Amino acid sequence: MSEIVLLFFIFVIAAFLGKELISKVPSQLHTPLMSATNAISGIAILGGLLVCSISPAWSPSMILGFFAIICASINVVGGYMVTNRMLSMFKKKEGKAK
């Protein structure tokens, strides 16, 4: 039981630390930061797929692996959408006369 409490404590500390670090990032670094988190989420997707493939059906590890795949996929798709929208703001508009 104490191991679960310790792991939960580490999770809560990591969540607060992550929020503090992300809130202090300047807007110029947002796109590179999104690229890094997309890469980390890609690793989480692969880890979730591995856990789901070796776990027995409907075991707690398989359910957590599936949940990790869903959360990381949402992060990857959202990150690419935000990055694409930010990059489209820097494209020149065609068809405008000077």
Side-chain angles (χ1 to χ4, degrees):
M1 186 65 159
S2 63
E3 184 177 331
I4 293 174
V5 172
L6 178 65
L7 291 174
F8 183 72
F9 177 73
I10 292 171
F11 174 76
V12 170
I13 294 294
F16 282 122
L17 182 62
K19 182 192 176 303
E20 283 299 313
L21 288 174
I22 296 299
S23 67
K24 306 261 189 274
V25 172
S27 59
Q28 296 90 351
L29 296 177
H30 186 267
T31 301
L33 183 65
M34 290 298 284
S35 298
T37 58
N38 281 343
I40 293 169
S41 292
I43 294 169
I45 290 172
L46 290 177
L49 287 170
L50 179 66
V51 167
C52 286
S53 68
I54 62 173
S55 298
W58 300 110
S59 66
S61 59
M62 182 181 177
I63 293 169
L64 286 174
F66 181 73
F67 185 67
I69 293 168
I70 297 296
C71 290
S73 297
I74 290 170
N75 189 32
V76 167
V77 171
Y80 280 118
M81 289 173 62
V82 169
T83 302
N84 188 29
R85 184 171 176 156
M86 286 182 66
L87 292 175
S88 70
M89 294 189 313
F90 295 105
K91 290 182 182 176
K92 292 183 179 181
K93 307 273 193 253
E94 293 191 27
K96 278 193 168 182
K98 288 185 179 183

